[in-house]
Amino acid sequence: MIRLGSLAGYPFEGPRLLGGWTPPTSPAVYAILYKPEPDTKPERYAVIYVGHSEDLSAERFPFQHPRAHCWVRRAGSKWKVYICTYEVPGGGPGHREQITRELAAIYQPRCNTERYGQTWKDEWIGEYTLAPNTGPLARRGPGTPDPPPPPGGKPRDG
């Protein structure tokens, strides 16, 4: 198992050598990997492609996939290309696509033609300003003094 993505990541099965791998007939997100430094860091992988499918067996793996030539060129040999898969529990096509876009934004895989950024734009969620009601709301208990007034505000009534 390998974890890919932000924070705790998604638990992908693999990585497995793509040559000789038989894809299951199931929907999943998949990542194509290679080892950039196999001699000095054999457990380190680099993501070179991410995708998702309704049926992995229909993706023309191992090397008939439309982007397979890029994978082999990047890895240096078809015997140095790896795959890992994540069958999203209860996830539909939209959820798989969202995970694929997230992974593409994080890893910027060279063999993907689409590019996604990791930035938030103010118009998506609005610009944050300090809300006027972020001060303490009430005393903590009997005998506790009144909290200080909010900046520029009046003392609160107890």
Side-chain angles (χ1 to χ4, degrees):
M1 189 210 14
I2 187 171
R3 289 192 172 273
L4 298 176
S6 57
L7 300 175
Y10 301 101
F12 279 72
E13 290 295 321
R16 294 181 178 94
L17 191 61
L18 182 59
W21 178 70
T22 303
T25 57
S26 58
V29 175
Y30 60 93
I32 304 297
L33 316 163
Y34 82 109
K35 295 180 179 185
E37 302 173 61
D39 297 329
T40 57
K41 298 178 182 175
E43 295 303 313
R44 186 172 168 260
Y45 292 88
V47 177
I48 56 176
Y49 185 84
V50 293
H52 65 94
S53 178
E54 189 66 35
D55 178 359
L56 287 174
S57 67
E59 288 295 308
R60 299 172 39 206
F61 292 122
F63 300 108
Q64 296 302 311
H65 187 281
R67 301 300 297 159
H69 67 282
C70 182
W71 309 339
V72 173
R73 186 175 63 245
R74 191 87 179 134
S77 163
K78 68 181 183 179
W79 303 111
K80 296 179 181 180
V81 178
Y82 298 84
I83 187 166
C84 56
T85 59
Y86 176 50
E87 294 182 18
V88 181
H95 194 188
R96 289 190 300 275
E97 182 176 349
Q98 180 268 328
I99 293 170
T100 301
R101 286 181 182 213
E102 176 187 338
L103 296 174
I106 292 168
Y107 297 109
Q108 297 292 313
R110 297 282 177 117
C111 294
N112 279 75
T113 55
E114 303 86 15
R115 299 284 179 238
Y116 301 99
Q118 285 185 272
T119 58
W120 286 101
K121 295 183 180 177
D122 285 340
E123 63 266 21
W124 293 349
I125 57 173
E127 186 176 0
Y128 179 79
T129 57
L130 187 60
N133 60 349
T134 57
L137 298 176
R139 287 181 254 165
R140 292 195 175 259
T144 305
D146 287 334
K154 299 178 185 175
R156 298 178 197 272
D157 291 334

